[in-house]
């Protein structure tokens, strides 16, 4: 199954290998920046002390420095590495979801659970929302942090099952590496905590206070690492002049952007159309705008559905919690020139992919496994075709900005550069 995942990812994202660097931060990060080029002492010192472009991501820079040693400035090599990293993340997610389905005791055979995990991994991997993270060289931080975060999750699931200290230590170290690759992974311990409730069932009311205290205390080192990463994120973003301070911003605009962006990745997951690297903020956008109000209604409906289905389908509320934990810190807070950014979905939508896999089990029970497999395979085929097309959008500057004008609403910079 892992080989099938690799093949599907490589086919869906194969156009990326002929893509160039683009003038959407690739120039400022790589073409005009000499400090990251190589793995010498001066390069490493810069990587571990720099807050370049408002991020503290030393391990991501190390991966780029290694690429420079191998490929120079040939964009093929950087995109090839990105494709390898994304493929590895898809395989890791497959193993994580398979363990979660087994822990949930969903009443399916091991083979059906494995097929469901395969479908979940493919849904995550070849959904067109992933294209920006894979096809944009600057988004390498999503892929490297994803590799460490999913590895940390896998070792945590092993620890939850076997209670081996080595698994716990590996999970903690890998989580620290994830935060050194991208600060937003600091939210991962909250996901561990909710997984302890379901499906791991390590944190339930029936457990004694001492048992629950043990589970909670083992998270403290994770939260300490996460707090340090969050602090670094705050310090780093203060270096950016383009971000509005909370004191200077319109609170209604902030709330409207936050509500809209929280709903954005959910409906883009369900309706994968009209992707862009920029989604222009309409003039006067606020919580009273139609898009923001519709997003608020949509989110309230989801919360209500999760509450009503909390006993019959507990995985639904867990997936939503994981989504909001990852998306909330960036939901409208970093309001600059775009309503949302596709790359923010990379880790936040993992729970939605797991729901896709669990839905296969439900449909297979009702309609038969073969019918369900055909139905879900057609969905994945369509997603893969959309990703193939969207990857070509990132081919060069002209195709990228023309797409922004077409799908991201007319934007002053897009108009100027198209």
């Amino acid at each position: 199954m892992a080989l099938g995942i690799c093949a599907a990812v490589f086919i869906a994202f194969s156009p990326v290998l002929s893509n160039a660097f683009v003038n959407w931060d690739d120039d400022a990060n790589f073409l005009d920046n000499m400090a990251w080029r190589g793995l010498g002492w001066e390069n490493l010192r810069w990587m571990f002390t720099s807050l370049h472009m408002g991020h503290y991501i030393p391990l991501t820079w190390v991966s780029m420095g290694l690429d420079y040693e191998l490929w120079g400035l040939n964009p093929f090599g950087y995109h090839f590495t990105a494709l390898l990293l994304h493929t590895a993340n898809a395989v890791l997610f497959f193993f994580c979801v398979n363990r979660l389905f087994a822990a949930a005791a969903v009443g399916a055979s091991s083979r059906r659970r494995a097929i469901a995990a395969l479908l979940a991994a493919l849904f995550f991997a070849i959904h067109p929302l992933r294209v920006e993270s894979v096809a944009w060289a600057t988004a390498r931080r999503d892929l490297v942090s994803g590799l460490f975060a999913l590895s940390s999750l896998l070792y945590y699931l092993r620890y939850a099952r076997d209670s081996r200290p080595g698994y716990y230590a590996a999970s903690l170290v890998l989580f620290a590496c994830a935060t050194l690759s991208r600060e937003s992974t600091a939210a991962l311990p909250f996901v561990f905590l909710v997984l302890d409730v379901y499906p791991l069932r390590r944190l339930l009311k029936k457990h004694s206070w001492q048992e629950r205290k043990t589970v909670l205390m083992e998270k403290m080192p994770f939260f300490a690492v996460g707090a340090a990463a969050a602090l670094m994120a705050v310090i780093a973003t203060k270096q950016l002049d383009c971000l509005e301070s909370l004191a200077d911003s319109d609170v209604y605009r902030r709330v409207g952007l936050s509500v809209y962006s929280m709903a954005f990745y959910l409906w883009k997951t369900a309706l994968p159309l009209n992707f862009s690297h920029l989604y222009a903020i309409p003039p006067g956008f606020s919580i009273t705008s139609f898009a923001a109000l519709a997003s608020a209604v949509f989110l309230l409906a989801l919360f209500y559905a999760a509450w009503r289905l909390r006993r019959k389908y507990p995985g639904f509320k867990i997936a939503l919690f994981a989504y909001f934990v990852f998306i909330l810190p960036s939901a409208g807070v970093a309001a600059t020139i775009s309503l949302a950014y596709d790359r923010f979905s990379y880790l936040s939508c993992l729970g939605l992919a797991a729901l896709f896999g669990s839905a296969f089990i439900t449909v297979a029970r009702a309609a038969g496994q073969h019918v369900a497999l055909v139905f879900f395979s057609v969905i994945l085929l369509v997603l893969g075709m959309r990703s193939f097309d969207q990857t070509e959008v990132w081919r060069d500057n002209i195709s990228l900005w023309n797409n922004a004008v077409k799908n991201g609403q007319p934007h002053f910079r897009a108009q100027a550069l198209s």
Side-chain angles (χ1 to χ4, degrees), residues 322-346:
Y323 169 78
F324 285 111
V325 160
F326 276 115
I327 211 65
L328 189 60
S330 57
V333 175
T336 53
I337 56 176
S338 185
L339 285 165
Y341 299 94
D342 292 350
R343 62 188 180 274
F344 288 173
S345 72
Y346 197 79

Side-chain angles (χ1 to χ4, degrees), residues 45 64 89 92 109 116 135 161 170 174 178 222 225 227 231 242 244 259 261 271 304-305 331 372 379 392 412:
R45 185 182 66 82
M64 301 300 291
N89 290 343
L92 282 170
S109 65
R161 185 189 63 185
L174 288 164
F222 287 90
V225 172
L231 178 61
C242 62
E244 300 175 357
V259 171
S261 60
L271 192 64
Y304 178 72
I379 294 175
E392 292 188 317
F412 70 91

Side-chain angles (χ1 to χ4, degrees), residues 93-94 97-98 100-102 104 106 108-109 111-125 269 313 315 319 349-365 369 372-373 375-377 379-380 383:
F93 185 57
F94 164 74
V97 174
N98 202 21
L100 289 171
F101 285 167
V106 292
S109 65
R111 177 172 176 77
R112 182 170 289 180
R113 288 200 306 268
I115 293 174
L118 172 65
L119 296 174
L122 289 173
F123 185 84
F124 157 71
T269 296
Y313 299 107
C349 289
L350 288 172
L352 306 182
L355 283 182
F356 181 82
S358 65
F360 164 78
I361 296 176
T362 302
V363 174
R365 286 178 186 153
Q369 182 164 305
L373 193 56
F375 176 72
F376 282 81
S377 296
I379 294 175
L380 291 175
L383 292 177

Side-chain angles (χ1 to χ4, degrees), residues 39 41-51 56-62 180 232:
L39 294 176
W41 167 246
E42 286 301 316
N43 304 118
L44 292 172
R45 185 182 66 82
W46 179 85
M47 292 171 185
F48 281 87
T49 58
S50 173
L51 301 179
Y56 183 68
I57 49 174
L59 294 187
T60 296
W61 282 117
V62 168
L180 291 174
M232 284 302 302

Side-chain angles (χ1 to χ4, degrees), residues 48-375:
F48 281 87
T49 58
S50 173
L51 301 179
H52 184 69
M53 300 288 286
H55 293 281
Y56 183 68
I57 49 174
L59 294 187
T60 296
W61 282 117
V62 168
S63 79
M64 301 300 291
L66 178 60
D67 268 348
Y68 183 80
E69 295 283 359
L70 295 173
W71 312 100
L73 283 177
N74 184 354
F76 168 86
Y78 297 84
H79 293 312
F80 180 69
T81 300
L83 192 51
L84 289 179
L85 286 168
H86 183 56
T87 303
N89 290 343
V91 173
L92 282 170
F93 185 57
F94 164 74
F95 288 115
C96 289
V97 174
N98 202 21
R99 286 181 178 271
L100 289 171
F101 285 167
V106 292
S109 65
S110 59
R111 177 172 176 77
R112 182 170 289 180
R113 288 200 306 268
I115 293 174
L118 172 65
L119 296 174
L122 289 173
F123 185 84
F124 157 71
I126 64 175
H127 195 287
L129 271 175
R130 307 293 94 76
V131 170
E132 182 169 290
S133 295
V134 179
W136 185 29
T138 290
R140 173 69 65 87
R141 54 186 177 260
D142 298 335
L143 307 175
V144 179
S145 64
L147 182 72
F148 286 122
L150 287 166
S151 299
S152 177
L153 172 59
L154 185 58
Y155 272 103
Y156 183 78
L157 295 176
R158 290 177 175 176
Y159 169 73
R161 185 189 63 185
D162 299 333
S163 299
R164 294 184 182 180
Y167 289 160
Y168 177 87
S171 180
L172 181 59
V173 170
L174 288 164
F175 169 61
C177 291
T179 63
L180 291 174
S181 306
R182 186 175 185 183
E183 310 93 323
S184 60
T185 54
L188 188 60
F190 291 99
V191 176
F192 289 171
L193 202 57
V194 75
L195 290 178
D196 281 330
V197 177
Y198 183 85
L200 301 179
R201 299 180 177 87
R202 302 176 67 226
L203 197 61
L204 301 176
K205 290 182 179 180
K206 68 178 182 180
H207 292 142
S208 67
W209 164 241
Q210 188 59 42
E211 289 174 314
R212 282 180 282 172
K213 180 181 177 182
T214 299
V215 173
L216 292 173
M217 290 302 295
E218 71 187 19
K219 302 299 181 302
M220 292 302 104
F222 287 90
F223 281 118
V225 172
L231 178 61
M232 284 302 302
V234 172
I235 295 173
T237 53
K238 287 185 178 295
Q239 310 300 311
L240 294 178
D241 295 330
C242 62
L243 295 187
E244 300 175 357
S245 70
L246 292 176
D248 296 334
S249 63
D250 183 337
V251 65
Y252 297 107
R253 180 176 182 273
R254 287 278 184 175
V255 173
L257 287 169
S258 297
V259 171
Y260 179 86
S261 60
M262 281 190 286
F264 175 87
Y265 308 99
L266 293 169
W267 64 260
K268 276 290 186 182
T269 296
L271 192 64
L273 300 172
N274 302 326
F275 293 98
S276 174
H277 72 292
L278 275 178
Y279 302 94
I281 302 174
F285 189 89
S286 74
I287 189 58
T288 59
S289 300
F290 174 79
L293 291 174
S295 298
V297 172
F298 174 63
L299 292 174
L300 288 173
L302 274 182
F303 294 149
Y304 178 72
W307 181 78
R308 290 296 303 268
L309 298 173
R310 65 191 184 280
R311 292 186 176 88
K312 189 174 183 180
Y313 299 107
F316 183 48
K317 66 179 180 182
I318 300 301
L320 283 183
F321 179 87
Y323 169 78
F324 285 111
V325 160
F326 276 115
I327 211 65
L328 189 60
S330 57
V333 175
T336 53
I337 56 176
S338 185
L339 285 165
Y341 299 94
D342 292 350
R343 62 188 180 274
F344 288 173
S345 72
Y346 197 79
L347 288 180
S348 61
C349 289
L350 288 172
L352 306 182
L355 283 182
F356 181 82
S358 65
F360 164 78
I361 296 176
T362 302
V363 174
R365 286 178 186 153
Q369 182 164 305
H370 293 298
V371 173
L373 193 56
V374 170
F375 176 72

